[in-house]
Amino acid sequence: DAGVTQSPTHLIKTRGQQVTLRCSPKSGHDTVSWYQQALGQGPQFIFQYYEEEERQRGNFPDRFSGHQFPNYSSELNVNALLLGDSALYLCASSPGTTQETQYFGPGTRLLVL
Amino acid sequence: AQSVTQLDSQVPVFEEAPVELRCNYSSSVSVYLFWYVQYPNQGLQLLLKYLSGSTLVESINGFEAEFNKSQTSFHLRKPSVHISDTAEYFCAVSPQGGRRALTFGSGTRLQVQP
């Protein structure tokens, strides 16, 4: 059983560009959450998707947007990149039950120059 | 809203010594509690979790944590650490129920020395 997968593993962009990160959830999981982990810090919640809609959002600007597809996979889009967007972006999936646990992918490391 | 405080940013310890990584949380609602481990250049792996029932929870590799509701703590312990336990450890909480966001602490770097 494949776990949570993310692509690409690494990415280098310049300020002002746009980026799309992808996530495939663990089999049987319908809920996908995205987190940003800056260097030396704990992950911070960006948003969560299930039933193809954004259901919860953390304290991130509208430059961060997402999408969930019918097969439960998800994309994270960031527009107008800033240097401060450099971070490890983690995707987590969960089954959406009442006693759920979130399982994390390996992350995408984004460097903005 | 929830918040998590990990009191130690770094914990150096010698191999085979015991260790405790401290975690305190604040929440106005009942929560689930988690410890995740992150090895260098990797994502987060679930180490153990408290959802309900016994307040002492254990992992398969010898770690344990105890939920203390009165002290709002969920400290992680291991009686004898190995070099391979060197990693970053994150405490996290979420409100009880499904589809809830995790709030993480800032992490504790466990450095096991020979």
Side-chain angles (χ1 to χ4, degrees):
Chain A
D1 174 31
V4 180
T5 60
Q6 293 185 243
S7 63
T9 55
H10 295 80
L11 206 51
I12 300 175
K13 293 287 188 178
T14 56
R15 281 178 297 176
Q17 284 189 313
Q18 179 264 343
V19 68
T20 298
L21 311 182
R22 296 175 177 83
C23 171
S24 291
K26 189 176 170 65
S27 177
H29 289 187
D30 66 356
T31 302
V32 173
S33 302
W34 287 92
Y35 294 81
Q36 180 195 66
Q37 185 181 17
L39 197 61
Q41 297 182 24
Q44 287 194 303
F45 174 70
I46 303 174
F47 45 53
Q48 183 182 81
Y49 277 82
Y50 63 91
E51 295 179 352
E52 301 180 48
E53 290 190 20
E54 181 183 300
R55 301 293 182 170
Q56 296 179 66
R57 190 177 185 93
N59 188 27
F60 279 81
D62 291 345
R63 298 186 298 108
F64 289 78
S65 64
H67 188 77
Q68 186 179 38
F69 300 93
N71 66 353
Y72 308 129
S73 66
S74 176
E75 290 182 348
L76 164 65
N77 302 292
V78 187
N79 295 321
L81 284 167
L82 304 173
L83 296 180
D85 295 331
S86 296
L88 180 68
Y89 288 85
L90 295 164
C91 170
S93 75
S94 55
T97 58
T98 54
Q99 289 196 339
E100 67 173 25
T101 299
Q102 294 188 27
Y103 293 90
F104 284 80
T108 293
R109 187 163 298 280
L110 172 65
L111 177 62
V112 182
L113 301 176
Chain B
Q2 292 75 45
S3 67
V4 177
T5 302
Q6 291 186 244
L7 298 165
D8 305 295
S9 60
Q10 293 188 61
V11 173
V13 63
F14 288 107
E15 193 173 19
E16 298 183 4
V19 70
E20 178 180 80
L21 307 184
R22 296 179 291 171
C23 172
N24 287 89
Y25 70 93
S26 173
S27 177
S28 58
V29 300
S30 297
V31 296
Y32 298 143
L33 295 137
F34 306 85
W35 276 98
Y36 284 87
V37 59
Q38 186 174 38
Y39 297 101
N41 300 313
Q42 294 187 25
L44 299 173
Q45 298 177 29
L46 179 67
L47 189 59
L48 47 74
K49 61 186 178 183
Y50 171 78
L51 302 180
S52 64
S54 173
T55 57
L56 182 65
V57 291
E58 299 178 350
S59 72
I60 58 173
N61 56 356
F63 283 94
E64 65 178 29
E66 186 161 18
F67 169 50
N68 188 319
K69 188 174 183 178
S70 63
Q71 297 186 7
T72 60
S73 68
F74 192 54
H75 301 331
L76 182 69
R77 302 183 182 94
K78 189 171 186 180
S80 176
V81 294
H82 301 123
I83 295 287
S84 59
D85 293 325
T86 294
E88 190 87 21
Y89 291 79
F90 292 96
C91 181
V93 302
S94 73
Q96 289 189 1
R99 297 193 172 104
R100 304 300 179 97
L102 287 165
T103 299
F104 285 87
S106 55
T108 297
R109 173 75 176 163
L110 176 62
Q111 297 171 297
V112 182
Q113 304 165 8

